[in-house]
Amino acid sequence: MIKQLEYSYLTLPNNFYSLAKPDWGVAPKVVLLNDMLAEELGIYLKKSEEYIDFIFNKELEAAPTFAQAYAGHQFGYFTMLGDGRAIMLGEYITPDKKRLDIQIKGAGNTIYSRRGDGKATFKSMLREFLISEAMHYLNIPTSRSLAIIKTGEPVFRETIHEGALLIRIMQSHIRVGTFEFARYFLKTEDLQALLTYVLRRLYPDLEKSENPALSLLQKVMEKQIEVVTHWMRVGFIHGVMNTDNVAISGETFDYGPCAFMNTYNPNTVFSSIDTYGRYAFLNQPKILKWNLVKFAEALLPLIHHNTQRAVHQAQEVIDSFDDLWNEKYYCMMLNKLGIPFYQPSLTKLVDNLLAIMFKNQLDYNNTFLALSQVIPGMDILKLPDLQSWLEQWKYIIDNTVSFLEAQNLMKRNNPVYIPRNHLVEKALEETIHGDETFFKEFLIILKNPYDYSSPQKLFISSPDKHFDNTYQTFCGT
Ligand code: AMP
Ligand code: MG
């Protein structure tokens, strides 16, 4: 298996990385394994001990494992970063010839660690495992979690935690921040080398385009609009949409302070460090556009050697963001309402529903579930404030599609189950205290989020309001 690892990233100029050896801890033990993912990747082994052999293969000791260099705008401020607690084990080629990064998170310091310890707690790795897998089964592009390995060492945070490693799989960890790093710290040839590499690896169709840098900007914009639209569909708040966490591949990654919204409030923020709500639920599209501007700025020298012309061309792409976002977003929201087409006149139907949800503090996910009228015992539809909206909505459905067709579309777009914060916390707390029963049960539920056949009340109910009002998430724990 290890022989299949490749290192194409190392063909980039050597400023782009720094070789680094993972520290597996004193007594590494695989404690959670993603069997289904292993099978998909063609590395299915019978026993979890065999994965230890796979992951700790002796050949890896000689392999050029490395940390990636990158910069990024964090909360609006530019800074040099790099993989401070992640090490690339290599690129794995799947049986159907897909190239995937295999990365280990929490395996000790790299030259980019700054003041951090390069470690991760068992609890935070469990959180990333659970939520990234939930995202995958919600049909959202995301990094995947292959395994959690306990290190047998303590990690010191506000209290002492068990240390753990996460094996993360992703099409590529190259991010907007990688381009910013090349643009502001390296030479234009290096930036060009990065562009060439990224196109070959992720978007070979663009290699021959008239202006490859501009085409990449356009492509990343489309990919990111697609992924953030999905976030809005399921009430996901990423929490730390810094440019170093925006993947060029369009995958969701960096599951530090993310969380799912229960009660609809466009200003919802859970991250303890997002004091001003920069990354609040409804700010996500605005921030995405801001991040794409930073990407465009980094690409300027490759778009045109004449800066003014480069700015003009990049601006044209950025200027198309609002229309594209509106169309994709409203199309998705209308699908959530069972309406299979987009018309600008229908955007009000969506906005009005959100306003009613906000005013009445309705649960975001459950309002759509109630509308689909598949699950018994949901009384949201009786709400007086909703009655005239319901009439308008039914009128549109009756005059365009049948209710059955609408219902089918709604069932594909509205999950029954999302990883609700109170359940995530229960699953993590019980697991770190030695009982993984609920975690396993929850994971099974989250692997079938669109299963309407036997709704399970425990996993559908939102928590009492007090829970969410005081719930906080943390980065890098
Ligand atoms: P993030 O908020 O996860 O995007 O991380 C921002 C930066 O902090 C990245 O360069 C991370 O690699 C780094 N970082 C986060 N946690 C740690 C840690 N425990 N030790 C070293 N670096 C870290
Ligand atoms: Mg990050």
Side-chain angles (χ1 to χ4, degrees), residues 171-396:
Q171 266 184 64
S172 162
H173 286 79
I174 295 174
R175 52 203 88 208
V176 166
T178 319
F179 280 86
E180 292 180 285
F181 167 71
R183 166 80 165 95
Y184 303 114
F185 294 116
L186 306 180
K187 299 193 289 280
T188 305
E189 299 98 272
D190 299 323
L191 182 63
Q192 177 62 55
L194 179 64
L195 174 67
T196 306
Y197 176 77
V198 162
L199 293 179
R200 183 147 308 160
R201 179 157 173 190
L202 295 174
Y203 303 115
D205 292 353
L206 304 183
E207 273 184 299
K208 294 212 159 49
S209 72
E210 204 181 307
N211 189 329
L214 203 59
S215 303
L216 183 66
L217 175 61
Q218 175 76 31
K219 181 58 118 188
V220 172
M221 181 169 85
E222 289 163 8
K223 287 269 178 183
Q224 282 293 330
I225 286 179
E226 184 192 324
V227 75
V228 178
T229 302
H230 274 299
W231 297 354
M232 307 305 280
R233 177 170 67 81
V234 299
F236 177 78
I237 301 163
H238 184 281
V240 65
M241 288 174 74
N242 294 329
T243 57
D244 55 302
N245 293 332
V246 179
I248 300 300
S249 63
E251 291 160 291
T252 309
F253 84 122
D254 202 314
Y255 285 96
C258 66
F260 281 74
M261 177 173 64
N262 292 295
T263 303
Y264 178 72
N265 179 344
N267 307 315
T268 305
V269 169
F270 292 110
S271 169
S272 61
I273 57 166
D274 191 2
T275 323
Y276 301 107
R278 181 180 169 90
Y279 302 135
F281 180 67
L282 211 63
N283 265 359
Q284 296 187 122
K286 276 185 237 155
I287 286 296
L288 170 58
K289 185 177 179 186
W290 192 91
N291 287 341
L292 289 165
V293 170
K294 297 294 137 195
F295 186 40
E297 285 169 7
L299 288 169
L300 283 181
L302 305 181
I303 292 175
H304 203 285
H305 56 82
N306 175 313
T307 308
Q308 253 186 333
R309 291 184 70 172
V311 169
H312 179 73
Q313 287 179 300
Q315 190 67 51
E316 271 183 352
V317 176
I318 298 294
D319 284 346
S320 68
F321 178 92
D322 292 349
D323 284 348
L324 193 60
W325 171 266
N326 280 333
E327 182 170 346
K328 297 283 176 195
Y329 169 75
Y330 281 110
C331 198
M332 172 280 291
M333 291 300 281
L334 288 165
N335 283 181
K336 277 173 84 63
L337 295 174
I339 301 169
F341 54 85
Y342 165 76
Q343 258 176 23
S345 62
L346 292 176
T347 59
K348 262 204 144 33
L349 189 75
V350 171
D351 294 343
N352 290 345
L353 176 63
L354 292 176
I356 296 166
M357 284 163 69
F358 183 37
K359 180 174 166 223
N360 292 278
Q361 301 190 23
L362 300 184
D363 184 280
Y364 183 66
N365 204 54
N366 286 355
T367 302
F368 292 99
L369 276 191
L371 289 174
S372 65
Q373 297 172 37
V374 191
I375 295 175
M378 302 191 79
D379 44 15
I380 290 176
L381 299 193
K382 294 186 194 135
L383 185 80
D385 260 4
L386 200 57
Q387 299 315 307
S388 86
W389 183 91
L390 277 174
E391 271 173 37
Q392 281 176 36
W393 173 62
K394 281 187 183 146
Y395 179 84
I396 295 165

